[in-house]
Structures are given as C-alpha cells and as structure tokens.
Amino acid sequence: MKRIAVYTSGGDAPGMNACIRAAVRGAIYHGLEVYGIRRGYNGMIAGDIFPMNSQSVSNIVQRGGTILKSARSKEFMTPEGRKKAYENLMNLGIEGLVAIGGNGTFTGAEVFYNEYEIPTVGCPGTIDNDLYGTDYTIGFDTAVNTSLEAIDKIRDTADSHDRVFFIEVMGRDSGYIAIQSGIGGGAEIVMVPETHTPLKKVVSTLKDGWSRSKSSSIVVVAEGDEEGHAVDIAEKIKGQVADKLDIRVTTLGHIQRGGTPTAYDRILASRLGLGAVEGLIKGYKNVMAGIVNNELVYTPFIDTIKKPKPIHDDLLRMVHILSM
C-alpha cells in the first residue's frame, strides 16, 4: 500500500483533529502518501480530495471540530453516488481509507467495501460512546466534562431557588453521557434509554427528597429516553408535584459537541489514528480500531454496527445509592 486517504463523517466530536493529525503523520512516518477528503462521503463523490503533509496538521491537536469538515451524505446511499466516489479514489490511486466517525460512517464503509473492495479502518469518533469494540469513543470524555460543567452551574441556581431541574443531554440511543455526567454532577435521578425509569419512580424519588428537607434536585435525561424528552417528562410530572416543587428544564444540545478536547480525548484519538494507519499497513480491512482494557484492538464493522454496548449495572446502581 502506497497511498491512503482520511476523512471525517457524521456528527463532529472533540478530538477528531487529533485523530486526523495522527493518521497523517503516522502515514508519512511509514512512507505512505496521504490525502484528505473534505466533508466525508459528499467530498468523496465531489472529488474534493487533496494531498496532505506534516504541515497540513500543524497546530490542530487542541482544536475542536474537524479541519476536514463533516457531512451526512444521502447521495452516498445510492449505487450511483458510490460509483462516483470509487472512480475519484481510483483516479488518484488511493488504496485504503481511514474513516473517522460513528455508526453511519462505518455502515457506509462496509457497503462500499462489499461493492468495490477498498479496505477501510475506522476510528470511533462520536460523543455518544455507543460503539461496540472500544471502551471509549473520541469526543465522549470532552462531552461529559462539558455537560458536567453545565450541571454544576445549574445546580447553583437550583439550590438558590429551591428548584428541580430536568437537564437533557445528548444520547439518542445511548445513556453514557447522561450516566457519567449524572454521577459526576451528583444528580438525584438519571434517565437513560438502556433501562426504563417509570415516571412514578421519578415522582416518588423527588417527593422523598422533599420529605427529607431536600430543597433542590437534578434529574439528568438522555434525549433518547423512552419517556420522552426532558420537556415532555417535566410536563408529565409537574401535575403530580406542582404543589411542592418548582420545576425547570434545560436542554444542553450541541454545546456538548464543541470545545477544546480533553487530554484524554487527544491521547485516545492519537492512538486510534495511528492504529488505523498501521492496521491498513498490516492488511486489516472493514474493521474499527478501538481501545479495550488499554489495548489496541480491531473489531469488524459489522460488529460495531450491530452489537449493543450496554451500560454497566453498577453505574445505574451507583446513582440510586449516592442520591440518598
């Protein structure tokens, strides 16, 4: 293998730039030519592909977002779109790909390989931490710390006004951000998609706290909880506790995706970016580079896409015990 390309796709995540940097410099170290693809699969189809060198990734390790830009491509979902992408890669002699993204990114890479046999090694770049085959994904640690900072500030207001705050964090299918920021922020209740938290239990917990002279509480809600968004849950509960509790809602939204990546995310992203390049050199294809028990491992895309990554029961148990 002499020439590879790197791209980011799907939602941005803090640490993607550190991963790009590691992939580019790792490729150069091993004597490969490396190209960048702007805006993911859209750029692959449009031919927005350019050569990169060591200077291309200078002074980016500390930056959030992605210098290669990102997008979700409907055209790549069509055979015609993938054919254009393949032809553009072949015209430049690109023999392998480093894909930085999440579930949708790896699904696209899997389909692309089945049609055109271009080997791809992925790096898990998503704040949700929802990919099987790695303990943590790029951007997760930063997103948790961003959420935690907001929760700490909201708790000050909750305490000052004797209020209950429902705080919604990202996590359409995964409650990892909710559970870790909830534990770190001392939340009384955490609601996640992986387990059902009945509204009557939420009401009971809040009323119990009130009976013990607890004047304020924090409820962290993952956006994908089966009871609905935080606004919906708060509305359902207001009627049952309005005589005793003043309820407010805050949705943190996209601030969780941005910002300077933590040291952990920079190091994780660097390990995975280099690991992806070295995986291609070793002949790996259709796999994701991940870190499990502090060891670099490669997991087939089909497993990262289809296998669940449950939250450990001990974390859910911890919320209940520590909220007393």
Side-chain angles (χ1 to χ4, degrees), residues 15-179:
M16 279 185 164
N17 281 326
C19 191
I20 295 167
R21 174 178 177 267
V24 169
R25 292 190 172 174
I28 293 169
Y29 174 83
H30 286 290
L32 302 180
E33 293 181 52
V34 58
Y35 281 66
I37 303 173
R38 292 189 183 92
R39 295 179 177 83
Y41 293 118
N42 278 342
M44 203 180 291
I45 293 168
D48 195 357
I49 306 170
F50 62 100
M52 300 184 77
N53 56 35
S54 185
Q55 289 301 110
S56 303
V57 292
S58 293
N59 199 30
I60 67 168
V61 70
Q62 78 282 7
R63 290 168 56 182
T66 161
I67 64 164
L68 292 178
K69 308 294 185 180
S70 190
R72 290 182 171 88
S73 177
K74 291 184 178 179
E75 190 176 359
F76 194 78
M77 296 179 186
T78 68
E80 295 79 12
R82 293 190 294 273
K83 185 172 185 292
K84 288 180 187 176
Y86 172 73
E87 290 171 349
N88 287 330
L89 295 176
M90 290 303 96
N91 287 338
L92 291 169
I94 291 169
E95 303 166 272
L97 299 169
V98 173
I100 306 170
N103 189 291
T105 302
F106 300 157
T107 299
E110 173 81 8
V111 172
F112 199 43
Y113 177 81
N114 290 337
E115 291 178 347
Y116 296 107
E117 298 186 345
I118 297 180
T120 302
V121 177
C123 298
T126 168
I127 67 169
D128 289 337
N129 198 37
D130 58 351
L131 291 172
Y132 176 87
T134 188
D135 290 338
Y136 296 105
T137 59
I138 297 166
F140 170 68
D141 187 67
T142 305
V144 168
N145 279 282
T146 297
S147 300
L148 187 58
E149 183 180 0
I151 290 169
D152 288 345
K153 292 177 179 179
I154 290 168
R155 184 174 282 284
D156 290 343
T157 294
D159 183 61
S160 297
H161 293 274
D162 295 341
R163 287 173 176 163
V164 175
F165 269 86
F166 284 77
I167 303 172
E168 182 175 299
V169 298
M170 282 187 164
R172 186 179 61 230
D173 302 306
S174 170
Y176 270 94
I177 294 176
I179 197 75

Side-chain angles (χ1 to χ4, degrees), residues 171-322:
R172 186 179 61 230
D173 302 306
S174 170
Y176 270 94
I177 294 176
I179 197 75
Q180 293 217 8
S181 62
I183 291 172
E188 280 67 29
I189 303 166
V190 178
M191 304 178 71
V192 296
E194 289 85 350
T195 183
H196 182 226
T197 305
L199 292 184
K200 63 181 181 181
K201 182 178 179 181
V202 178
V203 172
S204 173
T205 301
L206 294 175
K207 285 184 174 179
D208 180 62
W210 181 266
S211 70
R212 291 184 286 107
S213 301
K214 198 168 197 173
S215 60
S216 65
S217 295
I218 297 291
V219 181
V220 176
V221 181
E223 64 180 323
D225 188 78
E226 65 278 0
E227 291 289 351
H229 289 282
V231 172
D232 304 320
I233 295 170
E235 283 300 317
K236 293 174 185 175
I237 288 175
K238 274 182 181 178
Q240 302 179 57
V241 297
D243 58 325
K244 296 177 180 177
L245 302 175
D246 185 10
I247 292 177
R248 295 289 188 275
V249 179
T250 299
T251 300
L252 299 186
H254 285 77
I255 67 165
Q256 295 159 92
R257 279 199 192 163
T260 301
T262 60
Y264 184 88
D265 268 330
R266 299 183 202 191
I267 295 165
L268 173 67
S270 298
R271 290 186 72 183
L272 294 175
L274 179 58
V277 170
E278 293 182 338
L280 284 173
I281 292 170
K282 292 174 183 176
Y284 286 104
K285 52 194 174 186
N286 273 24
V287 296
M288 180 191 78
I291 303 294
V292 177
N293 295 326
N294 207 31
E295 295 290 334
L296 180 68
V297 299
Y298 298 94
T299 303
F301 280 152
I302 198 69
D303 288 341
T304 70
I305 294 163
K306 294 193 173 182
K307 287 189 177 181
K309 184 179 179 181
I311 289 178
H312 202 288
D313 288 342
D314 275 356
L315 293 175
L316 298 166
R317 179 171 165 267
M318 195 185 303
V319 174
H320 173 70
I321 292 173
L322 299 183

